[in-house]
Each structure stands twice: as C-alpha cells, then as structure tokens.
Amino acid sequence: MPVLPGAEPYRHEGGEVGVLLCHGFTGSPQSLRPWAEYLAGRGLSVSLPLLPGHGTRWQDLQITGWQDWYAEVDRELRALRERCAHVFVAGLSMGGALALRLAARHGDDIAGVIVVNPANKVHGLAAHALPVARHFLRTSRGIASDIAKEGAAELGYDRVPLDAAHSLRIFFRLLDGELPQVTQPLLLMRSPRDHVVPPADSARVLGRVSSVDVTEVLLEHSYHVATLDHDADRIFEESHAFIGRLAPSVGKEGTSAGG
C-alpha cells in the first residue's frame, strides 16, 4: 500500500549528535515532523521512521505487532550510532514507550531520553476484554487527533485494529518490567488534559525508572498530541536545551534554547 501523503519517514544528516524520534500507535511521522525539522534546523542528525503497519491503512496495522515496531526503531538507533558520537531517543505516546525500551536495552549507547505523554498501559475494561474481543471484533474507535489547537490535525487511523492493540498491551507489560533498567537522563513532558493517555502513565514511568537526572514539564495548553498543539514550541525548545546540556558539542545555541 502507498504511504499516505504526509506520513513519510524523515531523515536529516547533521552533526555528531543524533536524535531518533518515535511516533505513536495508529499515528505517523506527521505528528513529529515539525519537531524533527526544528532539531534538524539546529544542526542535529535526525531519524524519524515510519513504523510497520502505520501510515497506510488500518488493515496493514492489523497484521503487525510490537516486535515489528520495536525492531524498526532498534534498526534506526543502530544506524544513528554508526555515524553519531551522541544519540538521544525521543517519542510521543507509544513512541515514548519504544524510546524507553531502547534506553533500557542499549544503556550507555544512549545519551538521554525525551518522552511526551508516554503510554505505559492499556486502561479500563478494554484491557481485560482485548484477549477475547479481538477474535470477534476487528476494530474499535480511533484515538488520533486529540489536539486542543483549532485547525490542527493528526494524520492517523480512524480505527484501532484489536489484534494490534492486544500486542501493544503485551508490550506495555513487558516494558514495565524493564523500566528500572532506564538510567539515562530523562526529560518527560506531559499534558494534564490528555484524553488518550492518563496522568497515571507518566507517574508510573517516573516512579519506575532508575534515572537520577529527571526533568518533568507540564504542557498546560495541550491535549495528547502535544507536538502539534499549543505547547509544540515549548517541546522543541525544552528538548533542544536538554540535548545541548548533555552533549556540549551541540554548541552555544544548544545550551541556550528554551531560556
């Protein structure tokens, strides 16, 4: 299937500091493209892959699972490591969960972790029903485009394939056990008003990781897809400042962004 216009992966060859950006479940690189372009414009090497089953039609996501999504970002990380002295991982929602697993498994190869509204669990009755329901129902209502900003929209599926959602639930449970292995500096940015991922998920991440250098930022004016919302500029600036503090080779501009 052809990739939807706007959902294409994005890569930029910059300096010796690299950033891997991971998009969310049922979403696409479109939700993180402005963030990627901001970092690229400041001289960083950036990789924003399209996860398998995403960016085409929901039927393609139905036949993929967490192993496919994780394998894609793992490959991209290894490629960035080959050409960059310092590599950071970042992500939105499920992409944040993928970034955290990369950090847990790759240790010192990752200089820092940046997550926006990271997902940690499938909540409510749906979580308990998934193992059985997926054999009777193919999809549920979509979760894309939870954005406060008028006129902004996320390019994502309008249906959630339940087989893929079941795989995501398994992945979250696996990751939860691995979070104590995350020791890198962590920047976690979250929206108090998020209609997709509750505050409990961010609290769980903060409570489980072993990172000592932890910064939490509240995105007061945004919903779940904060990277396309009112606080987008703050996300970009905070992340660039975080990277500049940990990788001085980014230069003076890297340490001063975000005030």
Side-chain angles (χ1 to χ4, degrees), residues 28 61 65 97 116 124 136 143 150 154 171-172 176-177 193 200 206-207 212 223 229 243 246 256 258:
S28 75
L61 183 57
V116 178
F136 300 95
I143 56 173
E150 189 173 348
E154 180 187 19
F171 172 65
F172 285 156
D176 193 63
R193 293 180 298 163
L206 292 171
V212 176
Y223 294 163
D229 216 327
I243 293 167
L246 297 168
S256 62

Side-chain angles (χ1 to χ4, degrees), residues 131-227:
V132 174
R134 66 192 179 96
H135 296 296
F136 300 95
L137 294 172
R138 296 185 72 191
T139 67
S140 64
R141 181 171 54 87
I143 56 173
S145 228
D146 182 35
I147 302 172
K149 187 177 181 180
E150 189 173 348
E154 180 187 19
L155 182 59
Y157 296 148
D158 60 1
R159 305 298 298 173
V160 173
L162 294 191
D163 278 346
H166 178 62
S167 182
L168 179 63
R169 178 177 181 249
I170 293 171
F171 172 65
F172 285 156
R173 294 173 72 175
L174 173 71
L175 172 64
D176 193 63
E178 296 178 338
L179 284 176
Q181 298 171 39
V182 176
T183 59
Q184 299 90 341
L186 172 65
L187 170 60
L188 185 149
M189 295 178 274
R190 66 176 182 88
S191 306
R193 293 180 298 163
D194 184 329
H195 306 98
V196 177
V197 173
D201 285 34
S202 286
R204 179 74 177 177
V205 169
L206 292 171
R208 295 279 289 165
V209 298
S210 299
S211 305
V212 176
D213 181 345
V214 176
T215 304
E216 181 181 11
V217 174
L218 293 184
L219 307 172
E220 299 281 2
H221 309 291
S222 300
Y223 294 163
H224 183 61
V225 190
T227 49

